[in-house]
Amino acid sequence: MPRNASENQSPHCNWTGIWCNSKGFVERLDLSNMNLTGNISDHIQDLHSLSFLNFSCNGFDSSLPRELRTLTSLKTIDVSQNNFVGSFPTGLGMASGLTSVNASSNNFSGYLPEDLGNATSLESLDFRGSFFEGSIPGSFKNLQKLKFLGLSGNNLTGRIPREIGQLASLETIILGYNEFEGEIPEEIGNLTNLRYLDLAVGSLSGQIPAELGRLKQLTTVYLYKNNFTGKIPPELGDATSLVFLDLSDNQISGEIPVELAELKNLQLLNLMRNQLKGTIPTKLGELTKLEVLELWKNFLTGLLPENLGQNSPLQWLDVSSNSLSGEIPPGLCHSGNLTKLILFNNSFSGPIPMSLSTCESLVRVRVQNNLISGTIPVGLGSLPMLQRLELANNNLTGQIPDDIGLSTSLSFIDVSGNHLQSSLPYSILSIPSLQIFMASNNNLEGQIPDQFQDCPSLTLLDLSSNHLSGKIPESIASCEKLVNLNLQNNQFTWEIPKAISTMPTLAILDLSNNSLVGRIPENFGNSPALETLNLSFNKLEGPVPSTGMLTTINPNDLVGNAGLCGGILPPCSPASSASKQQQNLRVKHVIIGFIVGISIILSLGIAFFTGRLIYKRWYLYNSFFYDWFNNSNKEWPWTLVAFQRISFTSSDIIACIMESNIIGMGGTGIVYKAEAYRPHATVAVKKLWRTERDIENGDDLFREVNLLGRLRHRNIVRLLGYIHNETDVLMVYEYMPNGNLGTALHEYGYTLKVGEKSDIYSFGVVLLELLTGKMPLDPAFGESVDIVEWVRRKIRNNRALEEALDHSIAGHCKDVQEEMLLVLRIAILCTAKLPKDRPSMRDVITMLGEAKPRRKSICHNGVQNPSKERPIFSNSPVIGLL
């Protein structure tokens, strides 16, 4: 860095980013946006005339040199948007002419510099987005010329000092995303020049001060996501310059003050996620500049203002999850600006306003779960911007308008749970942008349009519980992104299209409760992504293919098909052809008997002897055939293999294999309770379903069973032994008196056919063990309660999940706890009761990679080091999954 020099020796004055005064001394140094890295040289202290310093928007990752304090001529310093570390240099308070300090978006740590309170000419102080800790220095009360104070996104604690009310020049206060506690000081009402107040996302509490109403120039108030209680002060209606008011995500109660309707400049009013009750003030409909109104998830009742939207450029209306009623106001899109109409989970009634069908600005219409009646207006399909149409669970009648199928923008359509009739529009499934179409639980009839060739984006199709009939179109297999296909409870006939088994992403297929015939396609089990399949209650027949997921399918997903056999079901009868031959022989015997009868009439004597002879031969022949048939199917003797001393015999066990002793059924067999009485012993017996391939590979099975019999693990129910003959295997376990094998065998150690979803469950149990420090069947859980149920009960009882964490790991480090909670949520997903509700291992890996806390931090010996925290302004996708 060149030193000051006289004019004839100052070539540096021509360098980029350098400006000199008339004497050749460097007065301005602007190296912003130059992609610089490394350190700032200590020689910067030699620039005694420097009044303007700008290093912003670079990649510096060192500490700022302490020598900056010697630059007493500085008026402006900007080091924002770098990666500077360490404490911010002290001593700049000696620069009496200093007016602006911008150190935002860095990694500074330590305390805010106290001496800056001596720089009484300061007008702007910006320390947002670093790791500063501690409280706001008391010396800042001396900054009487300060107009901008930005300290958000740090780890600041304590209370907002009352002295802040003495900074009469303040126009902007941004203190959000910190850990301030206590109330907003009422002295803030003294800041008559204040225009912008942002205290969002923190731990502030108490009531919102009524003194804010005194601030006539105040345009913006952001207090969302704190712990404010009490009522909205009516005095806010006196802050007549307010444009943006966001008090959402608090614990505010009471009614919405009618005085808010006096805020004639108001464009945004966000009061969602509070405890507000009562009605929405009718006069809010008179606000002529209102663009955004969000009141969702409160306890509001009554009607929407009748004139809402008629007098203002309303763009976004969300009043979902309340108890509102009445009809939807007709003028919501009067200005032609409405983009999002969200009214779901209320009691709105009456028809959908016809005016919405001409509202070309609409992007989302979400009015499900109401009492809306009438028909779906014609014209919604012609709206050029409409992406999401959710009308489910209402009282809509009539048909789905044909123009819906002509849309070029719709990606999500849900009309399920209504009383819609007629057939599906011919082209509705060929909307190029359509991803999800749900029309279940209606009265739709006719056939599915064979128009799947043009469905490049369709991922979910649910037409269940209607009166649809005919064939399932073969062309449905062309939907290469389809993940979920639900056609259950209709009247489909014909065979299952073989092409469905080749669909690359189909994971869930439900064709149950139809009239489908024929066989299950041979390659169905090898479908690339299929995880859940339900074919129950059809007219299918023939052997179940022993391939892929069909080898572990739940038998309940195949019930109601009398003609199905083999595979996971009981074996197909091998003697069906022999039985037919036997029946033919008996027919022939009847004919012979008839001839013999005639012979008896002709000659009684001859007939007597002849009949006697024929009878003996016939009897002997049938006895031989019967004995031969039974011997050919007779099972080999049972053999008992025990892994420890036992007090029962194979006969004791076989005697208990009856329907009355069934205690469970799974994808691999039936579980019986067996009791022996000499001496008394109770065991659980699992009779495995076995295919012909299983029987052929019996040696592999017995090797695996013998290995399992030698296992001893606290998480695994003991295998006492097994009984087998040529075709069947009975697994004998210790009996769990307060549960069943499905509850106790978390690791599915003995099912022998482990699928990915059971592995996911096992992985979830291991995660719970690691996070809680508990055993899967810890006595502290109570009788017949395992670790999964223990965690679920905490959720059902609204207990803090932090209670479940192992405190020897989490300690007092808040952010280690936060990260553990994110992983705990993943474990809860993995241990969902239904396999289809569990994520894939790929999803688990992704979620674990994203399971990061909102703030990153470093903790030593279980104690949090707030100086290393950094706000991360994005939510983990794990939270959205729950």
Side-chain angles (χ1 to χ4, degrees), residues 11 18 76 93 102 122 299-300 374 377-378 465 469 481 525 568 582 641 647 690 727 729 832 862 879:
I18 291 179
T76 298
N102 188 353
L122 266 178
F299 302 101
L300 299 172
V378 175
S465 299
S469 58
K481 293 184 179 180
I568 199 70
Q582 186 180 22
V641 178
S647 60
R690 303 194 71 203
T727 58
V729 176
I879 299 173

Side-chain angles (χ1 to χ4, degrees), residues 219 266 618 813:
T219 64
L266 199 63
W618 180 85
C813 183

Side-chain angles (χ1 to χ4, degrees), residues 283-342:
K283 287 191 175 182
L284 287 183
E286 300 175 4
L287 294 175
T288 59
K289 297 182 180 180
L290 189 63
E291 298 179 3
V292 177
L293 178 60
E294 294 194 80
L295 307 176
W296 50 276
K297 207 167 185 182
N298 279 287
F299 302 101
L300 299 172
T301 56
L303 311 177
L304 281 176
E306 177 67 20
N307 56 350
L308 189 63
Q310 289 186 353
N311 304 309
S312 67
L314 190 64
Q315 296 182 22
W316 192 326
L317 174 64
D318 190 344
V319 295
S320 59
S321 299
N322 280 286
S323 298
L324 298 168
S325 57
E327 296 192 1
I328 301 172
L332 294 177
C333 192
H334 184 75
S335 65
N337 294 310
L338 188 65
T339 60
K340 297 181 182 178
L341 176 61
I342 306 177

Side-chain angles (χ1 to χ4, degrees), residues 639-648 706 709 719-723:
T639 301
L640 172 61
V641 178
F643 299 122
Q644 63 184 61
R645 183 185 298 272
I646 56 177
S647 60
F648 51 81
N706 285 317
L719 178 64
L720 304 178
Y722 66 96
I723 304 172

Side-chain angles (χ1 to χ4, degrees), residues 468-472 491-496 514-517:
L468 299 170
S469 58
K471 285 184 176 182
I472 298 175
Q491 299 165 15
F492 293 111
T493 55
W494 297 79
E495 296 183 346
I496 300 173
N514 280 286
S515 298
L516 298 170
V517 298

